[in-house]
């Protein structure tokens, strides 16, 4: 929809600043309740922290040490809720926790895992069990003779950036206007309404949007956006903490992840990643630099390599790293000493005293985004004149997720029956990315060639077109690093070719819908 043509005249119930998981989660929830919503994202969806996480749907075993029982319980419950609404992009992940002499004692691990198993209404996920790592296959990749005992427990895996895109898609399916590459620049406020000036970064045009309520869901930019909004209250302090990850060719063959306890009391995860790789992360470093380009520092890369090498029989060196990324957490600053001790809980700050209402989202996790959105709507609804539908997002599938949690393989089987000439690994990738909507990409095609130009690593024109039409993709980076992770398998020349194709195709049509 053209923002200039429609949004400039309309009065929205909510104008949301920030297209990360929290902004898109609130947009989805609000639009599904019948509210009118516009969401502004200055870059691509999930271009901030929400594509740079460890990608765990987890209670946060570590947070028990900081007595964060409320947060852990809420997050544990959310694991199965989110899995059930998005079984294509979320799956259970079992973690092996090797006991290492000199770190937390085994009895403490056992106690923590007992609480973890029982605090959050676990139903479908399997419970914790003890492992004899000196004989078990999961001990094989570890340094010989060092790890005799260990535990195995459940959490979940999510494609974080796709979770954001699917929330945005569902919000739009419920009537929300999603504007990417559209930066909120300034705003003024009367008793009942906001006037928000936003600039389209593709064409440089400005628009004024009118809304009853503004939601500042700008993640690490919450303070920057806060300064652009007239406010009577001081925004709560946040602490910006960078976390980095490295990806190396896979160092173990099974499907379990490892939780590694470091000598400095921190933990690092080693996670099977995209079939052929292992993901290691993360770090906690106070971030004082620019937010426009966030990268792992050489020290962080070395730290992650050393953490891995202390556990695995294979030594991991910085030269093994095939990809790395970093993101910045915007954490509630409650004066914790170390960055890792800062709370991962969130706060919703509602200001109504200065005129039209302003809701500021502080902190949060991917895992708790849906509950955060529900609580945001519960706070806002009394401020809206018209009654809206109640909470609904716990049971309604995200786009493509309308199948049972244990039926991904059945979905692949169905696709294989309908598309017998396609490679099963390709159909599996589509099912894990798009769920039941994979058929919208495949259409009536009888072979891969019918899907148009091949850009590399099985990415074809039909998928690119789908991502542009349905998921707001505009550049190669949107597609190969956020909507998919095909960047791990494509060459620089292939990615450049995709960028050139997109630029040409988007320039040739007045709207992406004609691509
Ligand atoms: C290293 C790391 C690991 C993590 N691991 C996990 C994990 O495993 N599990 C988990 O549950 N959580 C994890 N988290 C936490 C989780 O990633 C974040 O809590 C979550 O992504 C924050 O989402 P958000 O929407 O608040 O912010 P963001 O995703 O940063 O979104 C904010 C958006 O606002 C946009 N924006 C800013 N200014 C403007 C403006 N003026 N106009 C328009 N748009 C604007 C930005 O471009 C950005 O896209 C991790 C975080 C980090 C950093």
């Amino acid at each position: 929809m053209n923002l200039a043509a429609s949004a400039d005249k309309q009065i929205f119930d909510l104008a949301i600043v920030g297209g990360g998981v929290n902004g898109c989660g609130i947009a989805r929830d609000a639009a599904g309740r019948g509210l009118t919503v516009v969401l502004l994202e200055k870059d691509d969806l999930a271009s901030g922290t929400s594509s740079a996480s460890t990608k765990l749907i987890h209670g946060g075993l570590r947070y028990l040490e900081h007595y964060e029982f409320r947060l852990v319980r809420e997050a544990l419950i959310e694991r199965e809720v989110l899995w059930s609404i998005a079984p294509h992009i979320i799956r259970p992940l079992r973690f092996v926790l090797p006991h290492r002499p000199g770190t937390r004692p085994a009895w403490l691990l056992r106690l923590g895992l007992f609480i973890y198993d029982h605090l959050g209404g676990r139903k479908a996920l399997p419970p914790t069990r003890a492992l004899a790592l000196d004989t078990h296959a999961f001990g094989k990749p570890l340094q010989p003779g060092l790890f005799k005992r260990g535990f195995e427990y459940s959490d979940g895996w999510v494609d974080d950036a796709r979770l954001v895109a699917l929330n945005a898609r569902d919000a739009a399916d419920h009537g929300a206007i999603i504007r990417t590459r559209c930066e909120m620049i300034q705003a003024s406020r009367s008793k009942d309404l906001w006037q928000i000036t936003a600039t389209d970064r593709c064409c440089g045009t400005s628009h004024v949007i009118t809304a009853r309520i503004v939601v500042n869901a700008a993640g690490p930019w919450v303070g920057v956006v806060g300064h652009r909004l007239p406010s009577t209250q001081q925004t709560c302090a946040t602490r910006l903490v960078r976390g980095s990850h490295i990806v190396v060719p896979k160092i173990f063959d099974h499907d379990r992840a490892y939780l590694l306890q470091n000598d400095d009391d921190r933990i690092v995860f080693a996670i099977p990643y995209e079939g052929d790789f292992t993901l290691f992360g993360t770090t906690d470093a106070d971030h004082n630099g620019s937010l426009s380009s966030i990268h792992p520092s050489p020290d962080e890369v070395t730290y992650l390599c050393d953490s891995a090498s202390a556990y695995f029989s294979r030594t991991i060196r910085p030269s093994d790293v095939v990809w790395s990324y970093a993101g910045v957490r915007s954490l509630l600053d409650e004066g914790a000493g170390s960055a890792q001790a800062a709370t991962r809980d969130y706060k919703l700050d509602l200001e109504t005293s200065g005129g039209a209402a302003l809701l500021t989202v502080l902190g949060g996790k991917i895992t708790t985004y849906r509950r955060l959105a529900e609580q945001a709507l519960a706070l806002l609804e009394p401020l809206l004149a018209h009654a809206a539908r109640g909470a609904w997002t716990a049971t309604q599938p995200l786009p493509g997720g309308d199948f049972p949690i244990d039926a991904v393989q059945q979905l692949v089987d169905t696709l294989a029956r309908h598309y017998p000439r396609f490679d099963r690994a390709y159909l599996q990738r589509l099912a894990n990315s798009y769920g039941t909507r994979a058929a919208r990409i495949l259409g009536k095609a009888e072979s891969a060639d019918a899907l148009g130009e091949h850009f590399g690593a099985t990415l074809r024109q039909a998928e690119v077109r789908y991502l542009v039409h349905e998921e707001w993709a505009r550049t190669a980076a949107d597609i190969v690093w956020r909507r998919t992770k095909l960047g791990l398998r494509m060459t620089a020349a292939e990615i450049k070719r995709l960028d050139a194709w997109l630029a040409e195709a988007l320039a040739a049509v007045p709207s992406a819908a004609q691509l």
Side-chain angles (χ1 to χ4, degrees):
M1 187 178 289
N2 182 340
L3 188 68
S6 60
D8 288 5
K9 297 192 198 99
Q10 189 176 350
I11 298 177
F12 291 93
D13 290 320
L14 298 192
I16 299 169
V17 184
V21 76
N22 287 324
C24 292
I26 293 171
R28 175 194 190 218
D29 195 332
R33 291 179 196 229
L35 301 176
T36 51
V37 177
V38 59
L39 181 143
L40 306 174
E41 164 53 54
K42 69 179 171 60
D43 289 308
D44 180 29
L45 296 172
S47 55
T49 315
S50 297
S51 58
S53 81
T54 311
K55 309 175 200 311
L56 302 181
I57 294 294
H58 65 156
L61 187 56
R62 187 179 72 73
Y63 313 145
L64 288 177
E65 289 185 327
H66 300 285
Y67 309 110
E68 300 222 41
F69 294 109
R70 190 214 74 78
L71 170 65
V72 177
R73 182 174 153 71
E74 182 174 287
L76 285 171
I77 294 170
E78 279 302 285
R79 294 181 307 186
E80 294 193 18
V81 174
L82 296 179
W83 180 24
S84 71
I85 63 170
H88 47 334
I89 58 158
I90 294 177
R91 61 169 195 272
L93 182 59
R94 293 284 281 172
F95 285 79
V96 175
L97 197 174
H99 173 250
R100 184 172 173 211
T103 57
R104 294 162 185 88
W107 66 264
L108 187 62
L109 298 180
R110 193 186 289 277
L111 176 66
L113 287 165
F114 178 83
I115 297 171
Y116 206 67
D117 260 358
H118 292 91
L119 191 61
R122 182 183 49 78
K123 293 188 193 91
L125 292 169
T128 295
R129 63 171 180 156
L131 293 175
L133 286 177
D134 45 359
T135 52
H136 200 283
F138 301 150
K140 288 269 178 329
L142 301 175
Q143 289 201 22
L146 264 189
F147 305 99
K148 296 195 168 28
R149 310 173 61 183
F151 301 92
E152 193 193 41
Y153 71 94
S154 290
D155 260 326
W157 165 262
V158 61
D159 186 329
D160 52 2
R162 289 209 55 70
L163 182 67
V164 177
L166 295 186
N167 272 277
R169 182 65 261 157
D170 209 36
D173 288 348
H174 284 95
I177 294 182
I178 306 293
R179 286 293 297 179
T180 61
R181 269 89 189 184
C182 194
E183 179 171 359
M184 182 280 209
I185 302 294
Q186 63 171 44
S188 63
R189 183 187 207 180
S190 66
K191 186 166 159 288
D192 301 313
L193 293 176
W194 287 94
Q195 299 278 325
I196 302 134
T197 307
T199 299
D200 186 323
R201 294 175 75 174
C202 293
C203 58
T205 52
S206 285
H207 307 282
V208 177
I209 295 159
T210 308
R212 295 186 176 86
I213 296 170
V214 165
V215 179
N216 177 356
W221 292 266
V222 71
V224 179
V225 169
H227 280 113
R228 296 178 183 183
L229 292 163
S231 167
T232 51
Q233 280 170 214
Q234 182 107 30
T235 308
C236 288
T238 51
R239 181 170 179 173
L240 298 183
V241 175
R242 188 177 63 249
S244 295
H245 293 82
I246 57 171
V247 175
V248 302
K250 76 173 167 188
I251 59 164
F252 51 88
D253 268 328
H254 57 74
D255 63 357
R256 273 30 177 199
Y258 290 87
L259 185 157
L260 315 176
Q261 303 182 74
N262 280 359
D263 292 335
D264 61 2
D265 256 6
R266 292 195 66 264
I267 56 164
V268 166
F269 293 104
I271 304 171
Y273 190 60
E274 296 291 321
D276 299 322
F277 304 92
T278 306
L279 171 71
F280 287 99
T282 178
T283 56
D284 284 279
D286 280 309
H287 185 81
N288 304 310
S290 158
L291 285 173
S292 55
S293 163
I294 303 158
H295 299 289
S297 70
D299 284 353
E300 286 174 292
V301 173
T302 304
Y303 173 88
L304 291 171
C305 289
D306 291 349
S307 303
S309 302
Y311 274 81
F312 291 97
S313 46
R314 279 246 323 262
T315 303
I316 311 294
R317 298 189 179 80
S319 56
D320 296 320
V321 174
V322 295
W323 186 51
S324 63
Y325 63 88
V328 171
R329 308 171 182 91
S330 169
L331 304 178
L332 284 172
D333 193 353
E334 296 175 335
S338 67
Q340 67 156 329
T343 181
R344 266 53 172 172
D345 212 342
Y346 57 86
K347 188 172 170 198
L348 296 168
D349 196 1
L350 179 63
E351 181 193 309
T352 51
S353 55
L358 167 63
L359 181 74
T360 304
V361 176
L362 299 149
K365 297 200 52 76
I366 299 272
T367 310
T368 48
Y369 89 92
R370 196 200 62 81
R371 280 291 294 146
L372 182 152
E374 243 175 27
Q375 289 169 41
L377 268 295
L379 273 177
L380 296 180
E381 275 187 349
L383 306 176
L384 294 160
H386 47 285
R389 169 186 176 189
W392 64 281
T393 56
T395 51
Q396 295 306 306
L398 281 161
D402 48 343
F403 62 94
I405 51 173
D406 49 2
V408 183
Q409 287 319 311
Q410 277 151 264
L411 179 61
V412 180
D413 291 343
T414 308
L415 288 172
R417 267 198 308 279
H418 281 93
Y419 300 96
R421 293 181 61 199
F422 283 83
D423 183 35
R424 191 172 170 97
Y426 172 67
L427 297 177
Q428 179 85 50
R429 177 173 81 72
L430 293 192
N432 283 124
S433 301
Y434 307 103
T436 54
R437 293 200 177 186
R440 296 190 187 191
I441 293 170
L442 295 164
K444 293 192 168 100
E446 290 187 357
S447 69
D449 286 343
L451 297 176
E453 179 170 344
H454 181 224
F455 295 101
T458 73
L459 180 71
R460 287 188 175 266
Q461 200 174 327
E463 187 174 355
V464 171
R465 195 182 292 122
Y466 176 88
L467 291 172
V468 171
H469 285 174
E470 301 292 322
E471 298 192 5
W472 298 272
R474 307 282 301 182
T475 69
D478 300 351
I479 291 174
V480 307
W481 294 118
R482 285 183 286 275
R483 304 306 183 282
T484 73
K485 289 290 180 286
L486 293 174
L488 284 167
R489 301 171 199 280
M490 289 171 73
T491 64
E494 287 170 337
I495 295 173
K496 205 170 155 198
R497 162 73 196 130
L498 174 62
D499 241 338
W501 187 90
L502 279 164
E504 200 181 321
L506 287 167
V509 292
S511 113
Q514 288 171 261
L515 196 65

